[in-house]
Every structure is written in C-alpha cells, then in structure tokens.
Amino acid sequence: MTLLTEYSEQFHAAYWMVGLRLVIILVLAYLIGPIVAKQLRRAESDRKKIEGSLKIGDGDRIRFSTSTPGVPVFSVRNMVWFTAIIGCIVLFSVGMVRHLSFHSKAWDLAIFDQVIWNLANGNGWECSVRNVQDLRGDHFEPILYLFVPLYKIIPHVGWLLGVQALALVGTGVLLFNTYRDKIGELPSCLIFLAFCFYPPLHWLSLADFHPIALAPFFIALGWMGSRKDKLLVLIAGLIGLALCSEEGLIVAGWWGLWEFTDRGYWKFLFKNQPEATEGQTLKAWLLLIFAIMFWVVFVYLAAWYIPAHRAEGEGYFYVHRYAYLGDSVSEIAVNFFIKPWLWILHALDGRGLSLLALFLVPLSLLPLRRPKVLLLLLPTALYTLLSVSPEQRSIFHQYTAIWIPFLFIAAAEAIPLTKKIAGRLVKIKKSPDLYKLERASILVTASILGFLLFSPLFGLSMHPEIFTPEDWAAEAKGIVESVGPDDAISAPSALCPHLSHRRVLLLKPNTTWPTNEELIVLPDFPPGE
C-alpha cells in the first residue's frame, strides 16, 4: 500500500487534504489557545474571590469555579482522576468491542494471548500462531510474565486490553503528577487532557495488544523519578521499560547516559571531587552501571540469545528491515557512519516527514522548543525512520509507543519560562503564569483539533466499521463455539484471537506443526479472502 493510498483510506481524505488539515490545526491552535487561556485565567480570578467561603482540602487549591458563592466546585485533581477513569473505560471498551466484532487479528493479539496462555499452563514460550516453538526468537519481552498470574485466575484477552488501557491513561496521570508542582495544576491538567485527545494514542490503542504499549507508563514513571530527584523511581522506570522489549533496552541505556550527563552526575563519580557527597557518588555510579548494563544486555540478546531461540538458526530477525544498509548488525552499524547519505535520504522521505508532522502538529510543535529533551528519542527515531517497513513508519501501529511519552515530556518542558524568556515577556506585560497557561491551552487546543481530524474514534477520520460486526460475524461466532478446547486448528486471522487458548492454532494457510496432529481447517473469514 502506497503512502497516498494509506492516508486516504485511514483519514478519509486525499493526501493534500491531510496536509491542509495539519495547517488548520496549527493556525487555529495558536488563535484559539490564548483566548482559552484568558477565559481560564478569568475563571481562576473568580475562584479567588470566593475562595474564603468554599473550603475543600489544602492539597486542592486550584479549582474550576463560578462567581456565584455557594456553588459546588471541583478540584483540578478530581477532574484529572475522573477523566482518567473515563479514558480507561473508553480505551478498554474500544479494544473489547473491536475484538468481539471480529476485527482483532492473529497479528498480534492472538500471538500474545496464546503465548501467555502457554506460559500459564506450563508450555513455555511456544506459539503455534506465529509458527515458532519459542517466541523469544522474535523479541525479548519478559513483561509478559506480568499476565501469567492473571491468566491462571481467568484466561481472557480482556486482561491484555485492560492493562494496556490502564498503562496508557496512567502515563498521562503520571505526567500530570510530575508537572503540577512545577507549572501549576491547571496547566498540568491541560497537558493531561491533551494526552487523552492525542490521535496517535488512539491509533495505538486500536493496534490490538503489544508489550511495547506498556512502555509509555514506565517512561512516565522514570521521568517523574528524574524530575522529583528520586533515583530509585527513575531506575524502576528504566527497568520496566527494558522489560518491554529489546528496543526498550536500547532506549533505557541511552536515557541513563542522558541523565548521567544532563544532571551532571559525571562530576560525582569519585568522592575526592570537592562538591561530591557520598550519596551523590552512589547515585552517579548506579546510574552509569544501569545504563551500561542495559546496552550490554541488548548486545547479548541481539547477537546470541534471540538467534539461539530461532529454529531457523538465523541471526537477529529484524535486520532485514535495514537491509539497504547491510546484511548484519555489524555491517549496518559500519555503513551508518560511512554512508550517512543512504539513511538520511530514506529517513526524510515523504513517509518519514509525514510521520513527524502527524506526531508534532497535534502538539502545536511545542516539542521542537526542547531539542535537548528530544535527544531521548534518538534511538527510537533511528529504529523507526530508518526501517523499510511501512508499518514502523506510520502512526497506525504499535511502533509509536515510545514516541508518545517523550514527545509529551518535551512539550511539557517547553511550557515553563526560562529566566531569559521570562525577562523578555515581562517587558511586553505578559506574566509567567499567563504564559504557561497560554502554552498549555495551545497544546490542548491542537490536540483536540487533531482528535477531531485524525482520530479513528471520532470526527472526520472515525472508523465506525471496526466496531460494527460484519455480516458474517454470527456465522463465525457459531464456528468458534463449535470447536473443542483441545482441537488442533488452522484458522483465518480474524478467528485466531477467539481460539488462541490451545497449543496448536495455526494461521491459514499454514497446516504444518511438528506434533503432526490432525488439524481442523476452518473456513475463511471474511468469506472469499
């Protein structure tokens, strides 16, 4: 599928119209955002007038209010929790309705559902849907062990979709908690709302289940630890990120080195430094050791562990996505440095630039104001943009998972004023508080406009067909219910997620499995495919 065809189908618009929508988002965000900020500022001023007569809790100092005394008010924090609950319900319901209406697929919901069921039943990492004896030959994803106790209670795909929804919305809650003391609760609430409306988040939630979709939560957790100077929380976030995939290991190692240099920990490696305390020296060594350890583990996985679990005896499977740079990891690394024009031209082609625009415009381009923070995305950007896989270079698949939290972190970091900028703004009679509120309002306005124009859940790009049962759904459900729990099956992709709690489930047209069991071959759904 070409880029033009893909965007036309997903966004229900011609390619030039997609570009026009992006321009409209930017223009309206910067026109409407300041107006929204002034209205919120006025509401805050009204709240102060009646603050003495309306008491809640000491921790809930910022409230939405009216100028009418005696009218109940709601704290921003309560609004965030209420929105978070609604967000979890929406994302979980969307995933379940999509699954129950036979729109989930073998890739990848049935794959992960089956391998977790196998782990819970003592069958190891076997995954017949993927046609492999050991899924560890594909990826390193020990975070899947998290679901094994849940599958021992009730084996159901709802665990995967539910935890994924909690993790994605929880990411926004952690970002709110990270910035509410730094920029205020109201701007932080607007950041959270922008996160909930962000179109790539919705496309990610519709990409079935993937362990990497849990990574945003650990990134937000680690960032909260970093900004609140809690090293153990930061390390916990890095470890959680590393357990999601081998890509998570690369990013965790890079992030650890970034923290090590950005926070000046390199100055405290040795206690004989005049400014170093014992605690600072310990933190510096811990961060450096973990960062190096993540990269060492990745090299071990890519060079030995993952290939050792591949029945084909191949090297690291995903090398083929970068074949234009070489046939092995080492050759790709060498050509990356000696032939940079190859990957630069590929990364910045039409698909690559379109992906960046769809990421940045619904954030009003705010992340570009913090290039130092965007450096955290360097491994992910290279991993994504250099690939020849169209799925990796679009917002419609799970490969956006690590982009999303880091882009929001960069946007949030761009909201507070630096001293130099603050001085300049004072001259034009704009207070720092109003400036922060304006930036946050522009951000949430752009995100809401992006939601209306690019989200699959609502608006001009809505895909109601993915939640609507097909004409053949009733027949397919009857066939699924007629199959015995221990039968060996070869089934079409649309049926696999409904039959994956068995050891032998093959994805058609595959009908071969080492156990040579007698297979029941199910009819194609949709019919004729």
Side-chain angles (χ1 to χ4, degrees), residues 54-347:
L54 293 171
K55 300 292 184 180
I56 303 181
D58 293 337
D60 299 322
R61 296 195 57 79
I62 301 179
R63 305 168 177 85
F64 291 118
S65 178
T66 68
S67 56
T68 306
V71 175
V73 294
F74 298 93
S75 72
V76 169
R77 203 175 307 176
N78 288 343
M79 179 180 179
V80 167
W81 282 112
F82 175 77
T83 306
I85 293 171
I86 297 298
C88 288
I89 293 173
V90 169
L91 293 187
F92 173 69
S93 300
V94 161
M96 283 302 301
V97 170
R98 182 173 179 272
H99 170 65
L100 294 174
S101 58
F102 288 91
H103 289 99
S104 56
K105 304 297 181 184
W107 293 74
D108 290 324
L109 186 59
I111 290 174
F112 292 115
D113 187 40
Q114 186 188 44
V115 78
I116 296 171
W117 182 86
N118 274 327
L119 287 170
N121 287 275
N123 301 325
W125 288 81
E126 186 178 288
C127 186
S128 57
V129 179
R130 178 67 178 84
N131 199 30
V132 294
Q133 298 269 344
D134 194 332
L135 196 63
R136 290 172 294 181
D138 261 9
H139 283 298
F140 174 75
E141 296 161 327
I143 195 71
L144 294 177
Y145 280 115
L146 171 71
F147 297 94
V148 171
L150 302 176
Y151 268 58
K152 285 183 177 293
I153 301 172
I154 300 177
H156 196 276
V157 72
W159 291 117
L160 306 181
L161 300 175
V163 171
Q164 180 173 270
L166 286 171
L168 291 176
V169 177
T171 302
V173 174
L174 288 176
L175 291 176
F176 166 77
N177 188 60
T178 301
Y179 286 101
R180 62 189 178 90
D181 293 330
K182 182 178 181 180
I183 65 175
E185 284 196 342
L186 187 51
S188 297
C189 176
L190 295 179
I191 293 173
F192 171 73
L193 292 176
F195 182 85
C196 291
F197 282 106
Y198 191 48
L201 181 75
H202 306 153
W203 287 104
L204 175 60
S205 69
L206 285 181
D208 286 340
F209 167 83
H210 296 86
I212 196 64
L214 306 181
F217 178 84
F218 294 110
I219 291 172
L221 179 67
W223 189 257
M224 184 177 69
S226 170
R227 285 302 171 257
K228 292 182 177 290
D229 201 26
K230 297 178 179 179
L231 185 63
L232 293 181
V233 176
L234 168 60
I235 291 176
L238 292 176
I239 293 174
L241 172 60
L243 295 176
C244 290
S245 73
E246 61 271 22
E247 181 192 355
L249 279 164
I250 302 174
V251 176
W254 175 254
W255 184 0
L257 292 178
W258 185 92
E259 290 282 350
F260 183 76
T261 55
D262 181 66
R263 296 174 66 86
Y265 279 127
W266 57 272
K267 300 176 183 178
F268 309 132
L269 281 179
F270 304 100
K271 287 189 288 185
N272 57 5
Q273 296 293 325
E275 65 272 33
T277 65
E278 186 173 346
Q280 289 171 327
T281 301
L282 177 61
K283 288 181 179 180
W285 278 107
L286 275 175
L287 199 55
L288 182 61
I289 289 170
F290 271 96
I292 295 174
M293 179 188 70
F294 290 135
W295 276 4
V296 169
V297 172
F298 169 75
V299 172
Y300 165 71
L301 291 173
W304 293 284
Y305 182 86
I306 292 177
H309 289 84
R310 290 190 64 79
E312 300 90 337
E314 302 172 1
Y316 188 47
F317 177 68
Y318 294 96
V319 166
H320 74 278
R321 294 181 178 178
Y322 310 90
Y324 68 98
L325 290 174
D327 297 326
S328 66
V329 175
S330 58
E331 187 178 353
I332 290 171
V334 170
N335 286 331
F336 177 84
F337 291 104
I338 68 174
K339 298 179 181 179
W341 60 89
L342 290 178
W343 59 265
I344 290 174
L345 292 175
H346 178 76

Side-chain angles (χ1 to χ4, degrees), residues 258 367-376 410:
W258 185 92
L368 296 179
R369 295 176 178 266
R370 288 298 179 267
K372 184 173 71 172
V373 178
L374 287 179
L375 282 175
L376 288 166

Side-chain angles (χ1 to χ4, degrees), residues 348-361:
L348 299 180
D349 63 6
R351 183 174 286 275
L353 292 175
S354 299
L355 175 63
L356 294 176
L358 289 167
F359 274 137
L360 292 169
V361 170

